[in-house]
Amino acid sequence: MQMEALEKFRQETRAWLEENCPPSMRTPMPEEETVWGGRNAKFVNPDAKVWLDRMASRGWTAPTWPKEYGGGGLTKEENLVLQQELRRIKARPALSSFGIWMLGPALLEFANEEQKKEHLPKIVRGEIRWCQGYSEPGAGSDLAGLQTKCEDKGDHYLVNGQKIWTSYADKADWIFCLVRTDTTRKHDGISFLLFDMMSPGVEARPITMISGASPFCETFFTDVKVPKGNLVGELNKGWTIAKRLLQHEREMISGMGLGGVGAGGGIGSLEQVAKEYFGEENGKIASPSLRDHITRQKMDSKAFALTMQRSAEEAKAGQGPGAASSIFKYYGTELNKRRYELLLELMGTKALGWEGEGFTDGEINVTRSWLRSKGNSIEGGTSEVQLNVVSKRVLGLPD
Amino acid sequence: MALVLTEEQQLLRDTATQFFQERLPIANLRKLRDTNDATGFDREAWKEMADLGFAGIMISEKYGGTDFGPVGLGLVLEQAGRTLAASPLLSTVLLCGSAVQLAGNATQRQDILSAIAAGERVMALALEEGAHHNPTRIATKAVADGSSYRITGSKTFVLDGHVADQLIVVARTSGEENDRSGITLFLVDPKAEGVKITRTLMVDSRNAANIEFHNVAVPSSAVLGSVDGGNDVLEQVLDIARIGLSAEMLGLVQQTFDVTLAYLKERKQFGKVIGSFQALQHRMAVLFAEIELCRSVVLDGLSALEERRNDVPQIASITKARLSEISTLMTNEGLQMHGGMGMTDQFDVGLYMKRARVAAASFGDANFHRERYATLEGY
């Protein structure tokens, strides 16, 4: 009976997508056409707005969220069908959103009814773009050492301090922010606060990174007034919410080591790159050393991919996420960094161009992506912090 | 990937765990070594393993086997690896049993497979001729002589060679020394005239032998498979052995890790357990990650064999390369973290290191398999 219902859902979904997904939304998406939504949403391709509005009207930008908050209200199984059908027609993501990936799940778990009703539907529809206010100049790996001050002023909170590495703070409408509400305790003095980036006293300055891009900002708060109803969960209990959010973030980052779509900017497989840029003799890459490095990389990538697959199968079989998942962030990001270092060796000076004549877009993309990849093992918990977590929580080694 | 074990497989794993822990603990290997045991493994234990169905695990019920398949065999081998159990599993079951299963005619299968499953015959594959694994460089010649063949040549590192009741000899019937074709497998009686067997004592205290063949006469009925076509069979057999041995190495690696972790939680220096030092913690965490990847490739390799996938050669090379490298790393790190005690014969970590190196060198080390993988993948 359940199988029949699911099959019916598949047929209906397929028909709806067929009718509602514009043809131009079924082509590979250049990065600059990514739809982030928000008050100042940019739709490079006008069809992207049509696609977003149609998907949002069904709640399918957040398929498993409850319908009462604008979500699709789908079961896990139905969502799986929806994702399969989306992949089948190669549909672009209708909306990319920290609100959906990170904040939404936390609000569903920790926010009060009023907050859920206020914020979740706007996230689903892509009306409000969120950014994450976590790291501070003095609180990186030691995130709980954060000092952005939040004082109770009776009818409102007053926020003063500075955040850093705030992704797209200059483009975001609202921020979910960790603030210190008790200076006498560390973890138990942190609260989880939401506020509008248009509030007086908020300033975001983009940071130019080694790759030349500026996806991150320094964000300053000077006497920012925040309504008291914007506190999520209890006062001084924000660390629990923060940790849950970090889990979602790590899962997002660890998939990068697999060299999938986008890695290397469609430059081709390592062996193709080697043959093109270094040359071949009798069908073999002309340098035995590079050939060996490529093999090591391919073998480790395969072993890592199999481990992710194994972990997913274990989870499906009800054995929980398993200890293997604790290594994903560490291993995946280190693997991705190695891959870019290897691409540099394979391509020589062609992968060292910065811009302009003499290099293809793909080559420039390798240079920039190589630089970007260095951040993988720093953001969302450094490799060293990940190894600490494995040592202590999985292996039970003492402090 | 056959990841979630069936009830039957779980039972098999539990049986194997208990058997090796109780019947063939590492003390058994020490005893064989210290008494210069002539056989090099415990014959009674081997008989018990046959009774438990381990010897016939890859053999169909028709010949008295249990037919649990590669995943089942992997479970047994992993447990054997944990206690460094010496047994003819590798020589007789993985190598020779597979060869007969794949290439044997009805008479050979009936005769040999039922004897293996019953634990009544130990066999050895006489393949290697040099210090490095090289299944195509075969100089040993088999020359047709009327209705029989005459074999002449030297073999080395023949596992269980000095105790085998029957040998499978890889010999050249045509072509040049490095040709893929022209290789033929022969069933040879080790007691035949002209066969000279010398046991070699290896660092891991496990069995190996040098075998010389001086104009040894074998009947044409002793050909296993087709004349000149032995390489195809041999490659399949070797991939089974590579993946199976990797399962054994996984047990060895996991055991070394577990023992080392326990030691770090117990040994004190500077007033605290040494496991509290970050310099050691991070190395253990990295090893933990590498071993998780080892487990994944071993499971996928066994599944590939079970499902007869066409990427068996690739996954066999990925698996054997990884396990060779990580078993080297793990045993080196394990020994270092045991400090001076790791250097003593009293502690087991040295035994694991010795076995790890011999296993790494068997059927191709990491270098061999990276080279092979690149060739298979066409670059």
Side-chain angles (χ1 to χ4, degrees):
Chain A
M1 187 57 209
Q2 208 210 346
M3 285 302 289
E4 279 170 36
L6 214 54
E7 191 47 42
K8 185 156 168 272
F9 176 75
R10 184 185 296 279
Q11 294 310 328
E12 286 168 5
T13 303
R14 188 172 292 186
W16 187 87
L17 289 176
E18 206 45 68
E19 199 165 316
N20 288 282
C21 183
S24 75
M25 291 294 106
R26 306 181 193 197
T27 59
M29 183 172 70
E31 206 186 329
E32 62 271 20
E33 289 193 24
T34 308
V35 173
W36 289 97
R39 290 170 185 148
N40 306 309
K42 284 202 181 70
F43 296 96
V44 181
N45 180 335
D47 281 349
K49 174 145 181 45
V50 175
W51 178 223
L52 170 60
D53 289 345
R54 286 179 181 169
M55 284 291 276
S57 73
R58 302 208 58 168
W60 283 0
T61 46
T64 58
W65 293 7
K67 275 194 167 164
E68 50 186 315
Y69 308 123
L74 301 188
T75 63
K76 243 201 277 185
E77 291 75 23
E78 287 169 335
N79 185 33
L80 203 66
V81 170
L82 172 62
Q83 299 308 322
Q84 284 167 351
E85 291 302 315
L86 285 166
R87 271 199 302 275
R88 199 179 65 84
I89 61 167
K90 299 189 172 67
R92 295 182 182 183
L95 180 62
S96 298
S97 156
F98 293 142
I100 290 172
W101 299 329
M102 295 156 76
L103 177 63
L107 289 183
L108 281 169
E109 190 174 348
F110 298 102
N112 62 36
E113 194 55 30
E114 203 178 329
Q115 291 166 334
K116 289 187 209 174
K117 286 227 158 77
E118 167 67 20
H119 297 294
L120 292 172
K122 292 179 187 167
I123 291 175
V124 172
R125 296 195 296 265
E127 288 171 9
I128 292 293
R129 182 172 178 179
W130 287 84
C131 62
Q132 179 194 46
Y134 270 34
S135 298
E136 295 180 6
S141 287
D142 182 16
L143 181 61
L146 60 94
Q147 287 169 6
T148 291
K149 197 165 61 175
C150 174
E151 296 165 283
D152 190 338
K153 292 289 178 188
D155 63 338
H156 67 272
Y157 291 118
L158 195 66
V159 179
N160 278 287
Q162 184 193 343
K163 294 288 174 183
I164 194 166
W165 315 128
T166 330
S167 301
Y168 304 115
D170 54 333
K171 300 187 174 71
D173 307 311
W174 275 64
I175 187 167
F176 50 97
C177 197
L178 295 180
V179 292
R180 181 149 303 284
T181 36
D182 185 340
T183 51
T184 62
R185 291 176 302 176
K186 192 173 180 181
H187 295 85
D188 294 330
I190 293 170
S191 298
F192 194 93
L193 201 60
L194 313 173
F195 53 91
D196 195 324
M197 291 291 280
M198 301 274 275
S199 313
V202 177
E203 189 197 351
R205 291 183 206 153
I207 306 167
T208 305
M209 305 299 283
I210 54 174
S211 67
S214 309
F216 303 107
C217 294
E218 292 177 288
T219 311
F220 300 90
F221 308 124
T222 315
D223 289 336
V224 179
K225 283 186 181 177
V226 178
K228 295 192 81 169
N230 288 14
L231 176 76
V232 178
E234 284 177 55
L235 194 71
N236 295 326
K237 298 284 182 224
W239 186 245
T240 313
I241 309 175
K243 276 193 301 187
R244 186 63 54 91
L245 252 153
L246 280 175
Q247 269 177 13
H248 293 294
E249 187 180 6
R250 278 169 199 169
E251 283 161 20
M252 254 165 49
I253 298 170
S254 50
M256 291 192 274
L258 297 173
V261 190
I267 196 90
S269 69
L270 292 170
E271 59 267 34
Q272 283 166 348
V273 172
K275 284 182 175 180
E276 185 184 337
Y277 284 85
F278 198 91
E280 55 184 307
E281 281 166 17
N282 307 320
K284 286 185 183 181
I285 294 160
S287 156
S289 171
L290 287 180
R291 184 166 174 260
D292 192 57
H293 282 301
I294 289 171
T295 306
R296 286 171 189 269
Q297 185 70 21
K298 284 170 71 82
M299 285 182 162
D300 286 346
S301 298
K302 174 75 179 175
F304 182 60
L306 285 169
T307 305
M308 304 251 311
Q309 190 190 332
R310 175 163 71 89
S311 181
E313 283 184 35
E314 279 171 351
K316 219 162 47 187
Q319 299 173 358
S325 64
S326 66
I327 65 160
F328 290 166
K329 166 73 170 62
Y330 163 75
Y331 212 96
T333 56
E334 294 297 332
L335 204 53
N336 197 44
K337 287 198 299 180
R338 261 173 57 192
R339 184 170 189 279
Y340 277 106
E341 288 297 340
L342 183 52
L343 275 170
L344 251 59
E345 291 181 38
L346 300 181
M347 294 166 66
T349 54
K350 287 290 185 190
L352 294 173
W354 182 250
E355 63 188 1
E357 296 291 306
F359 305 98
T360 66
D361 289 349
E363 287 165 350
I364 295 289
N365 191 22
V366 169
T367 312
R368 304 291 182 114
S369 302
W370 159 67
L371 290 163
R372 174 66 186 86
S373 73
K374 298 301 174 196
N376 297 161
S377 54
I378 300 170
E379 61 208 331
T382 62
S383 282
E384 289 71 21
V385 165
Q386 299 305 314
L387 294 177
N388 281 345
V389 169
V390 173
S391 304
K392 297 197 163 73
R393 300 216 191 117
V394 182
L395 304 183
L397 290 168
D399 280 319
Chain B
M1 213 189 303
L3 183 82
V4 184
L5 300 183
T6 64
E7 223 168 280
E8 235 179 11
Q9 287 168 335
Q10 282 176 27
L11 198 67
L12 179 65
R13 185 192 54 195
D14 295 345
T15 308
T17 306
Q18 195 186 358
F19 176 81
F20 290 108
Q21 300 287 335
E22 290 174 8
R23 187 64 182 82
L24 290 180
I26 196 158
N28 185 274
L29 181 76
R30 286 183 180 277
K31 193 174 132 213
L32 293 168
R33 179 192 71 173
D34 297 341
T35 58
N36 297 317
D37 187 274
T39 308
F41 65 90
D42 185 331
R43 278 198 191 270
E44 273 173 45
W46 177 236
K47 183 71 184 132
E48 288 166 40
M49 285 167 75
D51 292 343
L52 287 169
F54 298 170
I57 216 159
M58 299 271 276
I59 294 170
S60 69
E61 292 173 14
K62 192 167 126 192
Y63 303 114
T66 43
D67 205 9
F68 270 129
V71 172
L73 180 64
L75 295 170
V76 173
L77 285 162
E78 184 184 343
Q79 297 309 320
R82 273 188 174 262
T83 67
L84 299 182
S87 83
L89 272 176
L90 192 48
S91 61
T92 304
V93 178
L94 284 171
L95 290 167
C96 295
S98 302
V100 173
Q101 185 105 333
L102 287 166
N105 59 37
T107 318
Q108 291 165 336
R109 283 181 174 207
Q110 181 63 49
D111 166 40
I112 297 171
L113 296 180
S114 44
I116 289 178
E120 286 161 2
R121 192 173 307 182
V122 172
M123 293 182 71
L125 178 73
L127 164 67
E128 309 292 358
E129 300 188 357
H132 293 94
H133 176 62
N134 191 337
T136 51
R137 197 178 66 201
I138 302 296
T140 295
K141 280 205 159 60
V143 182
D145 177 16
S147 65
S148 64
Y149 287 87
R150 294 273 176 179
I151 299 178
T152 300
S154 297
K155 296 290 184 179
T156 188
F157 196 49
V158 182
L159 304 178
D160 288 327
H162 76 293
V163 283
D165 304 304
Q166 192 172 24
L167 303 171
I168 295 177
V169 180
V170 182
R172 184 163 291 290
T173 35
S174 70
E176 300 298 316
E177 192 173 316
N178 286 305
D179 287 353
R180 253 172 206 289
S181 64
I183 291 171
T184 307
L185 309 182
F186 291 92
L187 290 162
V188 177
D189 180 354
K191 296 188 190 69
E193 201 182 325
V195 179
K196 188 183 165 214
I197 302 178
T198 316
R199 183 182 187 182
T200 49
L201 296 174
M202 306 298 290
V203 71
D204 65 344
S205 308
R206 299 272 277 265
N207 285 340
N210 287 338
I211 307 185
E212 287 173 33
F213 300 90
H214 297 285
N215 210 26
V216 177
V218 290
S220 56
S221 62
V223 170
L224 188 62
S226 64
V227 173
D228 288 347
N231 183 254
D232 279 354
V233 178
L234 189 60
E235 278 299 335
Q236 290 180 65
V237 168
L238 287 170
D239 279 336
I240 294 170
R242 287 157 179 156
I243 292 169
L245 179 57
S246 295
E248 184 197 319
M249 294 165 87
L250 177 64
L252 175 163
V253 167
Q254 188 67 58
Q255 183 67 19
T256 311
F257 181 85
D258 292 350
V259 167
T260 304
L261 185 62
Y263 189 73
L264 294 184
K265 291 177 180 176
E266 160 198 314
R267 168 75 175 164
K268 282 188 177 163
Q269 285 289 275
F270 306 104
K272 54 211 294 204
V273 292
I274 61 174
S276 63
F277 300 131
Q278 206 174 39
L280 301 184
Q281 288 182 345
H282 282 194
R283 280 151 70 187
M284 287 302 279
V286 170
L287 285 165
F288 174 80
E290 295 292 359
I291 295 170
E292 284 295 324
L293 268 65
C294 285
R295 184 167 296 283
S296 306
V297 293
V298 167
L299 279 168
D300 193 54
L302 294 165
S303 304
L305 289 175
E306 190 130 334
E307 295 156 10
R308 298 169 194 278
R309 277 178 8 211
N310 55 16
D311 68 337
V312 164
Q314 281 89 342
I315 191 67
S317 279
I318 289 175
T319 304
K320 186 59 174 44
R322 166 160 279 275
L323 270 295
S324 298
E325 212 152 63
I326 301 305
S327 63
T328 300
L329 177 68
M330 181 66 243
T331 51
N332 281 344
E333 286 285 71
L335 193 148
Q336 175 70 19
M337 291 187 203
H338 275 81
M341 294 316 287
M343 291 297 292
T344 66
D345 185 61
Q346 181 204 334
F347 270 57
D348 292 337
V349 64
L351 292 175
Y352 283 92
M353 187 176 78
K354 292 169 181 173
R355 175 61 192 153
R357 293 309 182 281
V358 176
S362 304
F363 318 120
D365 63 7
N367 295 306
F368 175 93
H369 284 291
R370 282 197 299 268
E371 171 66 37
R372 177 174 183 250
Y373 181 82
T375 305
L376 286 168
E377 290 288 280
Y379 64 88

